Amino acid sequence: MATTAELFEEPFVADEYIERLVWRTPGGGSRGGSEAFDPKRLLEEFVNHIQELQIMDERIQRKVEKLEQQCQKEAKEFAKKVQELQKSNQVAFQHFQELDEHISYVATKVCHLGDQLEGVNTPRQRAVEAQKLMKYFNEFLDGELKSDVFTNSEKIKEAADVIQKLHLIAQELPFDRFSEVKSKIASKYHDLECQLIQEFTSAQRRGEISRMREVAAVLLHFKGYSHCIDVYIKQCQEGAYLRNDIFDDAAILCQRVNKQVGDIFSNPEAVLAKLIQNVFEIKLQSFVKDQLEECRKSDAEQYLKSLYDLYTRTTSLSSKLMEFNLGTDKQTFLSKLIKSIFISYLENYIEVEIGYLKSRSAMILQRYYDSKNHQKRSIGTGGIQDLKERIRQRTNLPLGPSIDTHGETFLSQEVVVNLLQETKQAFERCHRLSDPSDLPRNAFRIFTILVEFLCIEHIDYALETGLAGIPSSDSRNANLYFLDVVQQANTIFHLFDKQFNDHLMPLISSSPKLSECLQKKKEIIEQMEMKLDTGIDRTLNCMIGQMKHILAAEQKKTDFKPEDENNVLIQYTNACVKVCVYVRKQVEKIKNSMDGKNVDTVLMELGVRFHRLIYEHLQQYSYSCMGGMLAICDVAEYRKCAKDFKIPMVLHLFDTLHALCNLLVVAPDNLKQVCSGEQLASLDKNILHSFVQLRADYRSARLARHFS
């Protein structure tokens, strides 16, 4: 194969190169099998190829040396050329510096010459201008205006410039000698000013922005320039208030004027600010006054709603206007305009709010009690009432007569929602209408109204009435509706707490009033929880009392000591059945009336009292063998009932009681073994002995010896 430099270009793999060489050599590869393989031919090919590679290497080496020599020669030539260029660059830089110095010298001379020319030309121009003014002044002295400037109506711009300068000069002249000419100049000044304003007005009506800009530029140096702005503002508002919404109309007007005012006046931000001031102080103030004064004294609710709505819409308009260029401090400017409109209404806003909220809350409550045909009784306060409350809390004695409320809780979610809605709206108005420094204090005052009417006048009154309606524990067939009061009071207080967090907290969160509100809320909660606890405790006592009545009426001595031991057909006593039905009903009522851990707490207390009642009840009877079996069946049924409590402790108590009842039927010889069993081993020996004493065979079987 021919050897060329291209064969060794990257990527070069030596093994592949050898393989290709062998494959192309006749007798060197695997073609034709082992018989066709010729090692001598292959060796000869390798030797020849190596010689070719050596020759090629020498040729390439000579070429590399030649190129290196050529590169070195060119590098020397390039270095020499760079040195020559550096020398020529230095010469050019020196020439540039000389030229720069010369230009600076010439420029200095030109500036000096220009100053000299200006010094000569400026007095000349002033002299020419003064001559013209003297000429025009003479015309006023003669009383006849002949110049084309004054007679040609198309040169009103030039005439305005002249008369404005003459007017300034006339003010410096003594009145006694030049009174007549001064009055003529002033009259012409006034006429031209009126003509310019009239021209501006006509151009505005025609919509000629360029002409308005020209006239405004001329009037800029006249005293009537502000009148020109007033005319522009007045005409802008013609036909602008055609919709029913003055705030939308005002926003659209300001947007329209903002787009064109910069093309007309040299101070557009001042003109736009004056327009906005005019809109606020005339249009909006008049509109707000008409809306509020009508209902200020006659309808507080409508007055507060209108005030809130108008103030909100005004501040919303102000926010839209903030995007315009009104000068440096537009925030303060707009705030002052809003304050000027509403200051007389905001000063006493909170007093109106508090007065309305009190009367509205009182009306909502009174309307509710009237619908129930209920006359609210006064809840006593002071030392005697406090003493009664303490005695009632410690003894559960029903101090004073029990009130029959016929199952009415005197709590209404509709009333609560109405009160909270009124207060929510009051908080929203307070947030919007109160000064930031007064906001926490005003919000706290609204909160105290809510506490007074919702928590005290409604919830607390219902709790007091509910407590007074709880019968004594020895009453029969008592209607225990206080749990309904508990259920509704919990629901209502959740709503109260939600409004506290959602609407009051944001208004007072960064002020000292926060701790005051939290403390007041805590006191209200504690006060209500105390009354709820008292009512629940007395209700539980009534439940136990009802169970006592059932047991006393239904349980007979012969139940546990039947005359015929062999003829007992019942599985458990009638008293047990009725008590269990009653207990299950009360457990369900408690679960429906409360939530969370309160359910477990109350059920555990009821379960403990229920267990104590059954324990003491069983202690009143003597038990035969069959009667003991019936007692065990009764307790097993009570235990099933206790499972509904889903309180481990209560179930454990009844398990233990069930084990104790086994002592009533166990064989005398096994008594000691049963007493030392797993469930009874931890009980006091006296308790075990007391149960064994209830057996009818206690004396005959000499069971006392097991406890001696």
Side-chain angles (χ1 to χ4, degrees), residues 497-621:
D497 192 52
K498 187 176 188 308
Q499 182 163 99
F500 183 92
N501 294 323
D502 292 350
H503 296 99
L504 177 60
M505 284 291 286
L507 308 184
I508 60 171
S509 57
S510 57
S511 76
K513 286 292 180 183
L514 173 61
S515 58
E516 199 171 339
C517 287
L518 290 172
Q519 180 61 31
K520 192 170 188 67
K521 179 186 170 187
K522 180 183 176 184
E523 291 172 358
I524 290 294
I525 292 174
E526 290 176 349
Q527 178 183 346
M528 291 187 178
E529 284 182 345
M530 190 181 300
K531 292 182 179 180
L532 287 170
D533 289 345
T534 302
I536 292 171
D537 187 60
R538 291 172 56 195
T539 300
L540 294 181
N541 283 342
C542 287
M543 290 179 183
I544 299 301
Q546 290 290 101
M547 295 181 211
K548 283 183 180 179
H549 287 307
I550 294 172
L551 291 172
E554 301 294 335
Q555 198 84 72
K556 299 178 176 58
K557 289 187 177 182
T558 56
D559 286 344
F560 301 118
K561 201 173 181 182
E563 297 176 359
D564 185 358
E565 290 281 328
N566 298 319
N567 194 23
V568 178
L569 301 177
I570 59 174
Q571 294 180 342
Y572 29 74
T573 65
N574 191 45
C576 172
V577 173
K578 290 190 175 182
V579 166
C580 288
V581 170
Y582 180 80
V583 169
R584 286 192 174 96
K585 183 178 177 183
Q586 301 310 315
V587 169
E588 188 65 26
K589 196 166 188 178
I590 290 172
K591 288 181 178 179
N592 292 334
S593 301
M594 300 177 195
D595 54 12
K597 294 181 179 179
N598 293 332
V599 177
D600 294 342
T601 303
V602 174
L603 286 178
M604 185 168 73
E605 182 63 27
L606 176 61
V608 170
R609 297 187 190 188
F610 177 37
H611 168 266
R612 187 184 307 122
L613 171 66
I614 300 302
Y615 177 86
E616 292 174 354
H617 174 71
L618 293 174
Q619 295 266 341
Q620 300 173 13
Y621 300 94

Side-chain angles (χ1 to χ4, degrees), residues 56 68 144 159 217 311 358 414 417 513 569 629 635 674 708:
M56 187 178 67
E68 286 179 346
E144 186 178 357
Y311 189 84
K358 281 184 176 180
E414 181 183 354
V417 169
K513 286 292 180 183
L569 301 177
M629 291 297 294
V635 173
V674 174
S708 58

Side-chain angles (χ1 to χ4, degrees), residues 355-536:
Y356 165 72
L357 193 57
K358 281 184 176 180
S359 62
R360 179 67 176 171
S361 300
M363 186 196 74
I364 291 172
L365 288 178
Q366 190 57 49
R367 190 168 57 194
Y368 168 71
Y369 294 123
D370 289 345
S371 70
K372 298 293 181 180
N373 293 321
H374 175 73
Q375 181 67 39
K376 280 187 74 174
R377 65 187 184 90
S378 61
I379 299 173
T381 57
I384 296 177
Q385 181 64 22
D386 291 342
L387 179 61
K388 283 184 176 182
E389 185 62 29
R390 287 178 187 157
I391 294 172
R392 185 169 66 183
Q393 289 172 11
R394 299 191 181 200
T395 63
N396 277 308
L397 293 175
L399 302 180
S402 176
I403 299 175
D404 186 4
T405 58
H406 304 289
E408 178 60 57
T409 62
F410 293 110
L411 286 173
S412 167
Q413 284 200 26
E414 181 183 354
V415 168
V416 172
V417 169
N418 288 337
L419 290 174
L420 291 175
Q421 182 64 22
E422 292 292 341
T423 312
K424 175 187 173 183
Q425 292 173 356
F427 280 135
E428 290 174 349
R429 289 192 291 263
C430 176
H431 188 198
R432 175 71 69 178
L433 302 175
S434 294
D435 188 88
S437 60
D438 297 331
L439 178 58
R441 183 169 60 252
N442 292 347
F444 178 74
R445 292 183 65 183
I446 294 173
F447 174 64
T448 56
I449 301 298
L450 178 64
V451 169
E452 177 185 351
F453 286 94
L454 176 62
C455 298
I456 297 175
E457 292 295 330
H458 192 55
I459 303 177
D460 191 65
Y461 175 77
L463 292 178
E464 285 288 346
T465 306
L467 285 171
I470 298 175
S472 61
S473 59
D474 57 353
S475 299
R476 298 192 178 190
N477 300 320
N479 183 9
L480 303 179
Y481 81 99
F482 189 79
L483 291 178
D484 296 332
V485 177
V486 173
Q487 179 187 11
Q488 293 186 30
N490 282 334
T491 302
I492 291 169
F493 204 81
H494 284 316
L495 296 174
F496 169 78
D497 192 52
K498 187 176 188 308
Q499 182 163 99
F500 183 92
N501 294 323
D502 292 350
H503 296 99
L504 177 60
M505 284 291 286
L507 308 184
I508 60 171
S509 57
S510 57
S511 76
K513 286 292 180 183
L514 173 61
S515 58
E516 199 171 339
C517 287
L518 290 172
Q519 180 61 31
K520 192 170 188 67
K521 179 186 170 187
K522 180 183 176 184
E523 291 172 358
I524 290 294
I525 292 174
E526 290 176 349
Q527 178 183 346
M528 291 187 178
E529 284 182 345
M530 190 181 300
K531 292 182 179 180
L532 287 170
D533 289 345
T534 302
I536 292 171

